[in-house]
Amino acid sequence: MAAEWGYSPTNGPDVWARLFPQAGGARQSPVDICTSIASSDSNLEMKKLTFAYESQSDLRILNTGHGWKVEAPQSGSRLEGGPLGEDIYQLEQFHCHWGETSAEGSEHTVDGRAYAGELHLVHWNTTKYQSFAEAAQHPDGLAVLGVFFDVGNESNDEIEKIVSTLSEIKFKGQFTDIPDVIDPTTFLPSGLGYWTYLGSLTTPPCNECVIWIVYKEPITVTEEQVTYH
Ligand SMILES: Cc1cc(C)cc(S(N)(=O)=O)c1
Ligand SMILES: [Zn+2]
């Protein structure tokens, strides 16, 4: 049986390349974002990053075994501009990474600091490719928006619509539908400054196909919303 990848010394990132060769590549994610080295690019300001999403209900949420994932293919969504050149990217899914405690859990770190969690909104290049699967085989195939979670006293209503369904999908492979209407726009912070770099899927198969756009400003969630077990 194929070994399950994970985060232990015997199946974690240090050994992923044995089963997933791309994990040994030169543009692997996540990275530590060193703010003193990050350079501003006036071109990015000229071509403003813009996004447009639809609100959807009855989206399917899945327990992936490593967190939750909401399947949200939206032919009417558009992510473009900024580092994406002339191509248009369409929302495919969004998912979350979190840790055992609120002191850890994000995939990217900023100057060595981890956040309590990290939301990824995954998009694919519909200008150049015919499907998500095809796009994931190309260096400009996917664009992922990363949003950090900070733990505070304020619950995030949109995240609550999602985590309130997790008791129905306690085990890997289980799925259910989210009855509430979800608008992905509400996941984004008010401050739209971001860091961007060319990277990869952060977990196996680690395809080097992602243009990363990581927002500087975190959104606030409660401890319960991001340390669900
Ligand atoms: C395995 C994998 C697939 C997809 C679509 C996205 C990711 S991530 N965490 O880089 O956003 C990972
Ligand atoms: Zn992710």
Side-chain angles (χ1 to χ4, degrees), residues 104-115:
E104 57 182 356
S106 63
E107 297 241 276
H108 291 91
T109 50
V110 180
D111 295 333
R113 180 215 165 165
Y115 283 85

Side-chain angles (χ1 to χ4, degrees), residues 93 95 97 107 120 122 132 142 144 200-206 210 212:
Q93 53 106 318
H95 62 271
H97 303 261
E107 297 241 276
H120 289 160
V122 180
F132 172 81
L142 303 188
V144 182
S200 74
L201 302 180
T202 61
T203 59
C206 303
V210 180
W212 276 100

Side-chain angles (χ1 to χ4, degrees), residues 165-186:
T165 69
L166 296 184
S167 58
E168 300 171 39
I169 53 170
K170 288 181 183 295
F171 303 102
K172 179 177 179 180
Q174 287 187 316
F175 58 84
T176 190
D177 290 343
I178 303 170
D180 299 306
V181 173
I182 301 284
D183 175 2
T185 315
T186 63

